[in-house]
Amino acid sequence: MPRHSGDKENKNGNWKSEISLGTWNVRTLYSTGAAHTVTQEIERYKLKIVAIQEIRWQGTGSLDINNHTIFYGNCDDRRQFGTGFIVHKSIVPNVMEFKTFNPRISLLTIKAYWFNLTIISVHAPIEEKDDFYDELTNVVDGIPNNRIVVILGDLHAKVGKELIFKPTIGHHSLHEVTNNNGLNLIDFATSKGLVIKSTMCPQKKPNTPNT
């Protein structure tokens, strides 16, 4: 979910061509070799910054692996959750701030040519989302208005194609009807001046076996 603010172009033209973003619920980086496998896959897709969820590492910090730096936030007492980012080494010198708020929300700010870009990595609960969205609202409200804001992550939401929500969600969702979690997401996006980009562009339907 990006918030458009300020000039989106850098000295080479379009900033989107310079910083390719992604998100991945990695399930865990706690197992042996998991971090190397994930960074190699990200390298294959040529992504510069990837928001990750369910890292399951204790503490907060950064770790250099291959051509990337993993910025990681703390998991909970049961070694669950934990969010962060995997950043390509070419972008790391431009990292202004990494901050974790709780095991479900962390933030990365990148210094760009014409603007600063703040990316939030999130992992929403399946149920009882009020506290999560209250905290996320506080995080977004604390970001200066002259920044580009992008929220990436696992939001456990299904967004449909209802016309009433078109300004926020577009009309390219793979689902017809928005579920309750999707309504929470749309309400939050609308209140913060955000749009849900994943449903604004045409998507390929997943392959399903013939029956």
Side-chain angles (χ1 to χ4, degrees):
M1 291 184 293
R3 181 181 76 189
H4 299 300
S5 178
D7 195 332
K8 294 186 289 184
E9 294 186 353
N10 64 14
K11 61 182 178 180
N12 294 321
N14 188 347
W15 69 270
K16 295 179 182 177
S17 67
E18 300 293 326
I19 305 178
S20 51
L21 306 177
T23 183
W24 190 355
N25 185 327
V26 296
R27 305 303 178 187
T28 183
L29 293 184
Y30 187 56
S31 58
T32 302
H36 284 276
T37 300
V38 167
T39 55
Q40 287 170 358
E41 192 70 6
I42 289 172
E43 183 77 19
R44 188 168 73 89
Y45 280 95
K46 304 183 185 305
L47 296 171
K48 297 298 186 182
I49 302 174
V50 176
I52 54 175
Q53 302 82 45
E54 292 198 72
I55 301 172
R56 301 176 190 260
W57 286 354
Q58 293 179 328
T60 299
S62 62
L63 178 67
D64 295 335
I65 296 182
N66 298 326
N67 291 321
H68 300 83
T69 297
I70 301 177
F71 295 88
Y72 58 92
N74 202 12
C75 61
D76 67 11
D77 294 337
R78 297 176 294 172
R79 198 177 281 277
Q80 293 183 338
F81 313 121
T83 61
F85 300 87
I86 298 179
V87 182
H88 191 269
K89 65 180 182 180
S90 63
I91 303 294
V92 170
N94 293 321
V95 173
M96 298 173 59
E97 176 187 29
F98 170 69
K99 186 175 182 180
T100 181
F101 297 89
N102 58 50
R104 292 185 178 274
I105 303 174
S106 59
L107 173 153
L108 185 80
T109 298
I110 303 294
K111 183 176 180 60
Y113 191 77
W114 293 112
F115 56 85
N116 294 330
L117 169 66
T118 294
I119 308 166
I120 304 172
S121 178
V122 298
H123 184 195
I126 297 175
E127 299 177 348
E128 300 179 358
K129 289 177 176 271
D130 288 347
D131 289 345
F132 168 79
Y133 277 109
D134 287 345
E135 180 66 22
L136 185 55
T137 295
N138 291 334
V139 171
V140 173
D141 286 347
I143 299 171
N145 289 330
N146 61 352
R147 290 188 190 171
I148 301 292
V149 176
V150 178
I151 300 175
L152 299 170
D154 188 348
L155 288 153
H156 291 297
K158 183 185 292 185
V159 174
K161 296 180 180 178
E162 293 89 348
L163 291 178
I164 192 174
F165 302 135
K166 186 176 178 181
T168 301
I169 67 175
H171 60 276
H172 289 289
S173 175
L174 297 178
H175 309 288
E176 296 297 327
V177 179
T178 301
N179 66 6
N180 287 335
N181 289 343
L183 291 174
N184 289 332
L185 175 59
I186 292 169
D187 286 345
F188 168 77
T190 302
S191 70
K192 297 291 112 186
L194 300 163
V195 293
I196 302 174
K197 294 297 289 185
S198 61
T199 53
M200 287 196 165
C201 301
Q203 304 176 63
K204 292 183 179 180
K205 293 184 178 180
N207 293 328
T208 55
N210 293 328
T211 57

